[in-house]
Amino acid sequence: MSSFDEMFERVKREIRRLMREIEEEFEEDKPMWTTDGRLEPLISMERFPDKYVLLIDLPYADFKALSIDLKGRRVIIECKLREEIRFSRWTVTKEAVFNKYYTEVELPEDIDLAGAYIEKDDLRKIVKIVVPRKRI
Amino acid sequence: MSLERHVNKTSFDDVDYYEYEDIRLEHPSYLVLGLPDAGLVGALATKYLAMTTSMKLYGEIDSSRYLQPITVVHKSIPRSPLQLYINNDKNILALVSEAPLSIPAVYPISKSIVEYVSRKGIDYIISLSGIAVPNRLEIKKLTAYWLASTDKAAEIIKDLDIKRFDEGFIVGPYAVILKESRRKNINNLMILVESFYDFPDPEAAAEALQILSRITGVSVDVSKLLEEAELVKIQTRELMKQTRKALSEMKKKYEMQMPLMYT
């Protein structure tokens, strides 16, 4: 790859990173639930020199109905709640009913999916996904 | 309690304190702080304290200059996100915040709290907080730490077999309150319980409440908080998300670093 191509790739990566930051900024104001019963879980991602560690908080989830799909750099997490949850006072709507979690997360570019693994803490209802980083 | 008209309004640098009742505090008196922080430990603990010990709404803090234009509505009563509650024995005030403080609000609100405590003659500020630990998921028994602004504040916890926080960084409103309290000789005791950084942590909140209970002598049964922990976590996800953003802007992760020191 020529030095021009390398520079072009770097610029493209930087633009993508900035776009992600802009998207995240706007996403902060999005509600974490939908009227059709879906909850968006809280996710935390830590970067280490050799790996990324994602924690997904899924209170009230039924882990027997948990699905984690890794598609390229995208992780799709879906899980039913143990039972339908009804909140009688939920913002302006009279009642809200929730029955599952759903979210999609985009992982950074330098992931190495081959060594990825998942751990489940059934007591705290937290899922841990460990994804190694590519060695450069 | 009717919130139709306040009986007192006190302002400190454009931060207004509205009180809806004239109350003579009993001593020793405490102001328990529940500002959204790591794991929402203080916010969850203080809200639970107010709800389960039948504290009543006593006042509000507002600021057209420093706070966002938010009104919280509970049972059709509009109120500020920063609410003051008082117990029946009139010796414990609880400050519950239903929204995180933004960076421009941190200094003026924190300083106003110390001024208010000084003006009211409150004996102790008790700050309840989480301290994020990276291996929280693996921890079964949470460790708590304390920090005090004065010897008198340290005195009320020294027999409780809780570790003193010796070295490190504290970031956010509690950090400013602690500094200001030391400078003004106000007794501020900060309780920090190991917690998640950006997931609500009712378990850590329950631990903080049990310590508070031993300090103040007020009995708080935390069993309901632990039983309903999962529902509490669902209901506080959005506050946690907003708080994470505010904490990130304050560089909260400094708390995981060591300060400059010599061995």
Side-chain angles (χ1 to χ4, degrees):
Chain A
M1 192 185 279
S2 71
S3 59
F4 175 79
D5 289 339
E6 277 176 23
M7 190 181 74
F8 188 63
E9 279 304 312
R10 268 207 308 277
V11 170
K12 269 193 345 193
R13 273 202 301 274
E14 188 60 16
I15 290 170
R16 277 200 292 268
R17 189 185 64 77
L18 286 170
M19 290 303 290
R20 255 200 320 275
E21 275 182 19
I22 291 165
E23 278 170 21
E24 280 168 12
E25 189 64 30
F26 281 105
E27 275 178 11
E28 294 292 339
D29 296 331
K30 250 179 35 189
M32 297 176 74
W33 56 281
T34 61
T35 48
D36 62 356
R38 289 201 301 197
L39 289 169
E40 184 191 326
L42 283 168
I43 295 181
S44 127
M45 184 163 75
E46 284 285 328
R47 188 176 70 174
F48 295 92
D50 58 337
K51 65 190 172 195
Y52 293 99
V53 176
L54 270 86
L55 295 181
I56 304 125
D57 194 23
L58 299 161
Y60 224 79
D62 176 3
F63 275 0
K64 291 196 285 294
L66 171 69
S67 134
I68 299 172
D69 204 0
L70 292 167
K71 280 186 183 163
R73 285 170 47 212
R74 192 157 278 270
V75 188
I76 301 164
I77 299 148
E78 206 166 347
C79 190
K80 280 190 183 158
L81 301 185
R82 285 203 297 277
E83 56 191 41
E84 220 171 54
I85 299 179
R86 285 174 185 272
F87 290 102
S88 56
R89 287 184 291 133
W90 188 273
T91 70
V92 288
T93 54
K94 189 87 179 152
E95 186 184 60
V97 182
F98 300 109
N99 49 44
K100 73 168 179 177
Y101 284 105
Y102 182 88
T103 195
E104 295 187 18
V105 191
E106 186 156 314
L107 297 171
E109 285 185 353
D110 62 340
I111 53 161
D112 178 9
L113 278 181
Y117 61 91
I118 296 165
E119 289 174 4
K120 290 180 266 183
D121 183 328
D122 204 11
L123 189 70
R124 292 202 172 97
K125 299 293 177 193
I126 291 177
V127 170
K128 182 176 177 179
I129 305 177
V130 180
V131 187
R133 296 176 68 185
K134 279 181 192 156
R135 287 168 193 268
I136 300 166
Chain B
M1 179 195 293
S2 161
L3 286 183
E4 284 168 8
R5 193 171 173 79
H6 57 272
V7 294
N8 293 314
K9 180 186 171 193
T10 318
S11 300
F12 309 97
D13 182 24
D14 289 335
V15 182
D16 305 319
Y17 284 68
Y18 297 90
E19 294 171 328
Y20 293 95
E21 207 174 324
D22 249 330
I23 284 173
R24 195 189 173 91
L25 289 171
E26 299 295 329
H27 296 277
S29 51
Y30 306 88
L31 171 63
V32 183
L33 300 181
L35 303 172
D37 204 315
L40 299 181
V41 173
L44 294 177
T46 312
K47 182 83 179 180
Y48 185 81
L49 172 77
M51 296 300 111
T52 56
T53 59
S54 307
M55 294 177 92
K56 61 181 180 178
L57 189 61
Y58 159 73
E60 294 173 290
I61 304 172
D62 217 335
S63 173
S64 57
R65 184 166 168 196
Y66 300 115
L67 295 181
Q68 289 160 321
I70 299 174
T71 295
V72 182
V73 181
H74 287 304
K75 294 179 180 165
S76 300
I77 300 175
R79 57 190 78 169
S80 161
L82 285 160
Q83 302 142 22
L84 285 163
Y85 292 82
I86 191 160
N87 68 339
N88 290 331
D89 290 343
K90 310 273 188 284
N91 72 326
I92 298 183
L93 288 170
L95 171 56
V96 175
S97 176
E98 301 198 41
L101 296 183
S102 61
I103 289 186
V106 168
Y107 263 94
I109 299 282
S110 304
K111 285 177 151 190
S112 78
I113 290 170
V114 177
E115 284 295 327
Y116 179 75
V117 164
S118 171
R119 187 84 63 94
K120 294 285 290 181
I122 296 169
D123 298 304
Y124 299 96
I125 302 174
I126 313 276
S127 309
L128 300 180
S129 177
I131 182 154
V133 283
N135 61 336
R136 171 66 183 94
L137 196 56
E138 283 82 47
I139 299 175
K140 304 287 178 232
K141 173 87 185 97
L142 299 172
T143 303
Y145 301 87
W146 63 268
L147 258 173
S149 62
T150 60
D151 290 343
K152 193 177 168 190
E155 195 67 26
I156 59 172
I157 198 161
K158 72 175 175 49
D159 295 332
L160 293 195
D161 191 27
I162 293 167
K163 291 180 182 172
R164 193 176 65 182
F165 185 101
D166 282 330
E167 300 280 346
F169 292 103
I170 305 290
V171 178
Y174 290 134
V176 179
I177 291 166
L178 196 63
K179 258 190 318 199
E180 275 299 298
S181 295
R182 185 184 57 75
R183 289 175 188 144
K184 295 194 156 65
N185 201 33
I186 297 290
N187 304 310
N188 176 202
L189 178 67
M190 186 172 183
I191 311 289
L192 305 108
V193 181
E194 288 180 325
S195 72
F196 287 107
Y197 171 66
D198 48 9
F199 292 165
D201 200 332
E203 214 180 313
E207 183 67 28
L209 276 172
Q210 282 169 328
I211 296 167
L212 178 75
S213 177
R214 289 161 71 196
I215 293 168
T216 60
V218 171
S219 165
V220 188
D221 178 4
V222 297
S223 56
K224 197 171 172 218
L225 177 59
L226 294 170
E227 278 162 25
E228 295 182 355
E230 289 184 273
L231 290 176
V232 169
K233 289 178 86 176
I234 288 178
Q235 286 173 302
T236 52
R237 285 168 317 122
E238 311 225 17
L239 175 59
M240 186 74 256
K241 190 176 170 186
Q242 293 156 14
T243 303
R244 169 164 63 189
K245 190 172 180 232
L247 295 179
S248 159
E249 283 165 4
M250 288 176 212
K251 308 285 178 209
K252 182 76 175 170
K253 289 207 169 173
Y254 258 108
E255 288 185 357
M256 294 191 185
Q257 295 178 21
M258 284 303 289
L260 184 63
M261 59 186 281
Y262 298 98
T263 52

